[in-house]
Amino acid sequence: MHIIIVGNSGTGKSTLSKKIARITGYPLMHLDSLWHMTDYSNTAKIWFDRQQKLFMNQVNWIIDGNYARTMNLRIPQADIIIWLKVSRIKSLFRVLKRSLLWRIDKSSRAEMPAQFSEHLDSDYLDFLRTIFAYDDDKIFGLIEKYKKDDAQIFIITNTRAKRHLLKKMSRL
């Protein structure tokens, strides 16, 4: 079983993916963790792509993260596509909250590499702007373009739907 979880920053991809990994026992790759281990160069992009491909050679896996540039690698192999959608305001609030918590306690984002750092600077403000620039239509188009005919798509917009999905996952 191959599962991908996509959605805007702050929608809960990492949290949900950890829960699904605990339920299923499937190996989990956090794309943020992988990407933030790099220097963000073109060479890093090649390495990032290769690491995803190597991870996807396993029988079962879960990958959480957007990274639209590499969705063409993940979507065609996905049996289950989970798209988390919450309001942009809620996403922004969650990102600010997790940033604050991370400053207080690095273990609050244990999936992030040790060298990851976050500063209140122009890069961080640009990152916050991406929450409002998130393109649902682009993501939908990528899913439609690359998904397998028999792939299951779950669009999760609230806690009740998330609980229902987790019950389904426990039956895999």
Side-chain angles (χ1 to χ4, degrees), residues 128-154:
L128 293 178
R129 284 185 198 97
T130 67
I131 294 169
F132 289 96
Y134 185 79
D135 191 344
D136 285 337
D137 292 336
K138 178 180 180 179
I139 301 306
F140 179 76
L142 290 168
I143 290 170
E144 284 299 307
K145 179 177 181 177
Y146 294 114
K147 74 176 178 62
K148 299 189 296 190
D149 290 337
D150 61 345
Q152 296 179 65
I153 301 172
F154 296 94

Side-chain angles (χ1 to χ4, degrees), residues 113-126:
Q115 72 268 25
F116 175 72
S117 67
E118 204 170 55
H119 305 283
L120 185 54
D121 58 11
S122 63
D123 288 340
Y124 186 73
L125 294 175
D126 287 344

Side-chain angles (χ1 to χ4, degrees), residues 29 31 34-35 38 41-57 63 66-74 77:
M29 174 181 272
L31 293 181
L34 192 65
W35 181 243
T38 74
S41 66
N42 285 330
T43 303
K45 288 178 183 178
I46 294 166
W47 178 85
F48 182 71
D49 297 359
R50 190 175 327 121
Q51 293 307 306
Q52 287 178 72
K53 290 174 187 175
L54 288 171
F55 186 81
M56 291 186 293
N57 284 331
I63 299 176
N66 235 24
Y67 297 88
R69 186 185 65 75
T70 63
M71 280 196 184
N72 64 321
L73 302 176
R74 289 172 273 135
Q77 291 194 42

